[in-house]
Amino acid sequence: MEKAPVNPVAAPAPAPSSSQPPPLTGSKRKAEEALDPLCVKRITKELRDLMAGNTRESMGMTFELIDEDDITRWRAKWHYDMAGTKDASETQDRLAEQLKERGLDHIEFRMIFPAAYPREAPFVYNHFPRLKGSYIFGQGGLCAQTLSTEYGW
């Protein structure tokens, strides 16, 4: 009797770590992960404030929900509109050039807010295109000291 071939896609996913985004399990949270009312209120306020202003002009970023049914998962697009201006650094100009060469106009980050937000920091990771550097882990997670408990979060 022949053995069935092993399907590499069916291998179990590695356990999430601080350098990996939490697994995407759909738009609905499990019952045991019910959101704290303070979390819902705070995220709703922050999203409303961001949507009311022109964040692309003020920050060079735009924000939106990944799934309209889940306020805890955001998409943040970092546009490089400042490239070529007197305020742009050499690094910003080079990155904008590299994006343009690839037919892209932004870098996408994902933000995942925990059920205990704002007492716990959101998980932010680089989604696409994948950046390389000392502050970005292999799976896209960002090393951000400002989001750590040591620095006041």
Side-chain angles (χ1 to χ4, degrees), residues 92-104 131:
Q92 290 169 323
D93 284 340
R94 180 67 186 127
L95 188 51
E97 183 181 312
Q98 290 174 3
L99 287 171
K100 187 175 181 180
E101 288 170 0
R102 290 164 176 80
L104 303 171
L131 301 176

Side-chain angles (χ1 to χ4, degrees), residues 35 93 107:
L35 294 176
D93 284 340
I107 296 170

